[in-house]
């Protein structure tokens, strides 16, 4: 499989909508597929605002955007769209049962040559590939949020993924202007999130042991290591509930006790302090859920 012309993106939520536009901007005819027209309309509205702003700010030209829109369709008629797909990027809800069902459908509905990639952050593709009759054409292709902005895409084969599939996924990601991180074999969390988790774990342990305040640990990450945000700020941005869920998902896959959520994360989660989205996590964001006010939540947990 060398020539990819049509890409189908399954799921038009946070990730899928932006991946769809990235794909159309790269020149691929792209179908963005979701279960309901309402979800597709919301994705269209969000992307319209986004592209209008990009043109206003001079980040993209009007003709570049118009051409991308002409290549992008929003459809709930997935069977028709999938019948012409060369490459599928699945960005539906993070649920193993749903993904396995979806991949069995993709296997049935797409041409034989089509490659089936999942954008899952936590579910390695070996857990999905055997729901299809073409495991060698299944891999993880992991974008980062927001997909229109973040450059990294991790391409992760499972044991039976063919080299042709990996090469095709790398080619597509590079055509989308992404920097590819190729993993030689799958591991839960892949590379980037494992690095982030290692930093996060150490930051939580330092704070838990009373070595420094979480604000100062964030300051060290930013001003000594040059990170754009500190680990506690990132947890608040991602959502403490999401951080909690990701840890549980990794524990479910690995059974490793160290994968379980840190006790301090569990405390925040149980207190409903989910970060920016709830107005308070590590930091206090007031009513608007925006703007950091350091010190407002300086007691542990
Ligand atoms: N949110 C992130 O920061 C992030 C980052 C990288 C990867 N991911 C991965 O991307 C995937 C999607 O995450 P998200 O945050 O965009 O989720 P989301 O909940 O925002 O969107 C999921 C979309 O999939 C749709 N959907 C569900 N079942 C479907 C089906 N059977 N057919 C078609 N559409 C279906 C839903 O209607 C929804 O619009 C997950 O696997 C997640 O692990 C998420």
């Amino acid at each position: 499989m060398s020539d990819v012309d049509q890409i189908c993106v399954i799921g038009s939520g946070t990730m899928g909508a932006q991946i769809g536009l990235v794909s159309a901007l790269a020149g691929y005819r792209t179908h963005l597929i979701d279960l309901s027209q309402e979800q597709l309309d919301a994705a269209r509205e969000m992307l319209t605002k986004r592209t209008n702003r990009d043109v206003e700010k001079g980040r993209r030209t009007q003709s570049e955007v118009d051409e991308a829109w002409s290549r992008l369709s929003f459809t709930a008629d997935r069977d028709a769209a999938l019948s012409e797909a060369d490459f599928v990027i699945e960005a539906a809800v993070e649920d193993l049962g749903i993904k396995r069902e979806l991949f069995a459908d993709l296997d049935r509905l797409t041409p034989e040559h089509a490659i089936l990639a999942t954008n899952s952050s936590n579910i390695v593709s070996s857990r999905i590939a055997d729901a299809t009759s073409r495991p060698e054409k299944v891999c993880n292709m992991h974008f980062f949020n927001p997909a229109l902005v973040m450059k990294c895409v991790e391409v992760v084969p499972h044991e039976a993924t063919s080299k042709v599939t990996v090469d095709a996924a790398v080619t597509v990601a590079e055509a989308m202007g992404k920097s590819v991180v190729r993993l030689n074999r799958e591991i839960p969390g892949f590379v980037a999130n494992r690095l982030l988790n290692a930093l996060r774990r150490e930051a939580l342990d330092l704070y838990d042991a009373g070595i420094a305040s979480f604000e100062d640990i964030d300051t060290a990450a930013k001003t000594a290591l040059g990170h754009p945000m500190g680990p506690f700020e990132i947890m608040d941005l991602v959502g403490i509930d999401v951080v909690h869920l990701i840890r549980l998902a990794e524990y479910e896959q690995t059974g490793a006790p160290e994968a379980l959520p840190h006790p301090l994360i569990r405390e925040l989660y149980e207190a409903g302090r989910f970060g920016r989205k709830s107005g308070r996590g590590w930091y206090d964001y007031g009513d608007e859920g925006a703007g950091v006010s350091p010190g407002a939540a300086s007691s542990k947990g």
Side-chain angles (χ1 to χ4, degrees):
M1 170 79 242
S2 55
D3 293 324
V4 173
D5 174 42
Q6 296 226 19
I7 294 186
C8 285
V9 179
I10 311 280
S12 63
T14 308
M15 294 303 292
Q18 295 207 13
I19 294 170
L21 183 58
V22 166
S23 169
L25 282 164
Y28 295 112
R29 284 192 289 148
T30 307
H31 296 287
L32 198 45
I33 299 169
D34 208 301
L35 297 170
S36 71
Q37 197 54 49
E38 291 74 40
Q39 179 56 43
L40 290 163
D41 291 345
R44 186 197 294 272
E45 195 184 321
M46 183 276 289
L47 292 176
T48 304
K49 280 192 192 138
R50 184 106 196 182
T51 48
N52 287 347
R53 202 171 56 232
D54 283 355
V55 171
E56 263 165 45
K57 301 218 159 177
R59 291 195 282 249
R60 299 185 200 279
T61 65
Q62 187 65 54
S63 68
E64 192 188 347
V65 164
D66 290 346
E67 279 171 32
W69 275 105
S70 74
R71 287 188 285 261
L72 184 59
S73 86
F74 295 77
T75 181
D77 181 2
R78 71 168 193 177
D79 294 13
L82 287 170
S83 70
E84 299 184 333
D86 300 309
F87 199 102
V88 179
I89 302 171
E90 174 275 316
V93 63
E94 186 72 343
D95 178 295
L96 180 62
I98 291 176
K99 287 196 196 289
R100 285 184 63 85
E101 258 175 50
L102 249 173
F103 271 69
D105 290 347
L106 295 177
D107 189 35
R108 192 167 43 82
L109 296 167
T110 57
E112 238 173 70
H113 69 262
I115 285 171
L116 311 177
T118 175
N119 179 50
S120 174
S121 299
N122 307 297
I123 300 173
V124 288
S125 70
S126 58
R127 304 183 79 200
I128 302 173
D130 65 339
T132 76
S133 65
R134 57 180 105 178
E136 75 287 355
K137 294 193 177 75
V138 177
C139 67
N140 286 86
M141 189 172 178
H142 185 223
F143 291 76
F144 289 79
N145 187 10
L148 276 159
V149 177
M150 300 300 277
K151 288 291 251 182
C152 187
V153 171
E154 293 171 318
V155 173
V156 190
H158 64 90
E159 223 167 53
T161 308
S162 71
K163 182 173 179 310
V164 176
T165 298
V166 171
D167 289 346
V170 168
T171 301
V172 165
E174 285 178 348
M176 291 175 173
K178 301 301 184 190
S179 303
V180 175
V181 174
R182 255 180 205 253
L183 272 70
N184 296 323
R185 58 189 169 86
E186 58 179 28
I187 182 169
F190 312 136
V191 168
N193 283 337
R194 287 183 81 89
L195 293 177
L196 180 64
N197 281 335
L199 180 73
R200 184 175 291 162
R201 208 164 32 240
E202 185 63 26
L204 285 163
D205 285 346
L206 286 168
Y207 174 61
D208 203 15
I211 305 296
S213 68
F214 66 83
E215 296 93 334
D216 280 1
I217 297 169
D218 275 351
T219 300
K222 289 185 285 188
T223 59
L225 307 180
H227 294 185
M229 295 177 81
F232 294 94
E233 287 172 336
I234 294 178
M235 284 186 260
D236 275 0
L237 182 68
V238 170
I240 300 293
D241 52 334
V242 175
V243 172
H244 185 260
L245 195 77
I246 288 172
R247 299 279 82 224
L248 288 181
E250 192 177 318
Y251 176 71
E252 189 242 316
Q253 279 197 64
T254 62
E258 62 273 17
L260 280 168
H262 193 285
L264 292 176
I265 293 298
R266 216 173 40 233
E267 272 179 46
L268 289 187
Y269 175 76
E270 282 165 6
R273 285 169 55 180
F274 292 169
R276 282 179 185 252
K277 67 174 86 167
S278 70
R280 192 169 181 213
W282 289 102
Y283 293 92
D284 199 335
Y285 301 92
D287 288 340
E288 273 123 65
V292 175
S293 49
S298 51
S299 63
K300 270 197 221 171

